[in-house]
Amino acid sequence: MMRRATIWLGGACVAIGLAAGATAQSSTKKELVQRVLQLQQTEIENVARGLVERPAAQMMQEAGIAMQRQVPPDKREAMGKAIEAEVKKYIDESYPLVRERALRLAPTTIGAVLEEKMSEDELKQLVAWLESPVNKKYQQIGPDMRNAFIQKLLNDARPVVDPKVQALDGRIRVVLGLPPPPGVSSVPGPASLPPPKPPAKAASR
């Protein structure tokens, strides 16, 4: 009887020890995940800012095209400044709201995936990399590299892409029944194409 009691107590102690170890490991993983989120806070904030700025940038681009086509040149500068002021007001009001939600959602989305998919050792390595001087320097020079690459790509691709964009714009205008913009010759659409030639008659024998 005493032997059985000793075995039962030993088993219970082992179970308690394993549970305590699992709890400690889980706690360590949560702390590591929290550290990763802290180190990535700037990236999370950039995502929030991008979500806010993307529709504003698209609307500004469309407004710029509309001004070039419909607004007299002497009024464009004042109108452009007014639009920029409205866009700035929108960003100043919207970004803090989206940023707060992004930081609040990150632990239950990004953090949950990190905790589920990565081991404790992998999280330690990730934290070490994010805190390393090499990564910090890479993050510092990253924007300059991206901007230089994007600008170079734009300059290199513009001669090839711009004519296609203009042609697309012209064809869309034909479909919509709109006149071409000032200074641009009309783009032939389906209705303005010459009728097909009748097939040649077979030679008589």
Side-chain angles (χ1 to χ4, degrees):
M1 188 71 178
M2 290 293 294
R3 181 180 177 84
R4 291 181 180 177
T6 301
I7 293 174
W8 183 86
L9 286 173
C13 289
V14 171
I16 292 172
L18 291 174
T23 302
Q25 184 178 20
S26 176
S27 176
T28 302
K29 284 189 71 173
K30 289 183 182 299
E31 292 173 359
L32 289 168
V33 168
Q34 185 61 33
R35 181 58 181 155
V36 171
L37 292 176
Q38 291 173 353
L39 293 169
Q40 291 294 95
Q41 181 172 330
T42 300
E43 295 299 323
I44 295 170
E45 292 173 341
N46 287 340
V47 170
R49 181 173 290 278
L51 288 176
V52 172
E53 292 181 348
R54 190 175 300 128
Q58 183 176 354
M59 283 187 282
M60 284 191 67
Q61 182 179 13
E62 292 172 353
I65 294 174
M67 284 194 301
Q68 291 292 329
R69 294 173 177 173
Q70 303 175 17
V71 179
D74 59 329
K75 296 183 179 180
R76 290 174 188 169
E77 183 177 357
M79 187 175 292
K81 289 182 179 179
I83 293 174
E84 288 177 359
E86 291 296 331
V87 169
K88 183 179 184 302
K89 180 181 178 182
Y90 154 76
I91 293 175
D92 291 343
E93 292 176 352
S94 302
Y95 171 63
L97 301 175
V98 180
R99 175 184 178 275
E100 183 272 330
R101 284 162 173 77
L103 295 176
R104 172 164 50 84
L105 292 173
T108 57
T109 52
I110 301 173
V113 173
L114 289 172
E115 188 172 352
E116 178 186 357
K117 302 295 185 181
M118 301 191 73
S119 66
E120 183 176 328
D121 287 340
E122 289 171 335
L123 288 169
K124 288 179 179 178
Q125 293 178 44
L126 179 59
V127 169
W129 159 249
L130 292 174
E131 291 180 332
S132 68
V134 174
N135 177 61
K136 291 179 180 178
K137 185 172 184 179
Y138 179 76
Q139 295 299 328
Q140 290 174 354
I141 66 176
D144 292 337
M145 287 192 303
R146 286 191 295 271
N147 291 338
F149 170 70
I150 291 172
Q151 189 60 48
K152 183 69 174 177
L153 179 60
L154 285 173
N155 292 336
D156 191 71
R158 184 173 287 116
V160 179
V161 176
D162 277 0
K164 296 183 181 298
V165 172
Q166 293 173 5
L168 174 61
D169 179 75
R171 285 179 170 79
I172 291 175
R173 284 175 167 273
V174 169
V175 173
L176 296 175
L178 299 175
V184 178
S185 58
S186 60
V187 179
S192 61
L193 292 177
K197 295 180 179 180
K201 293 182 179 180
S204 58
R205 295 181 179 179

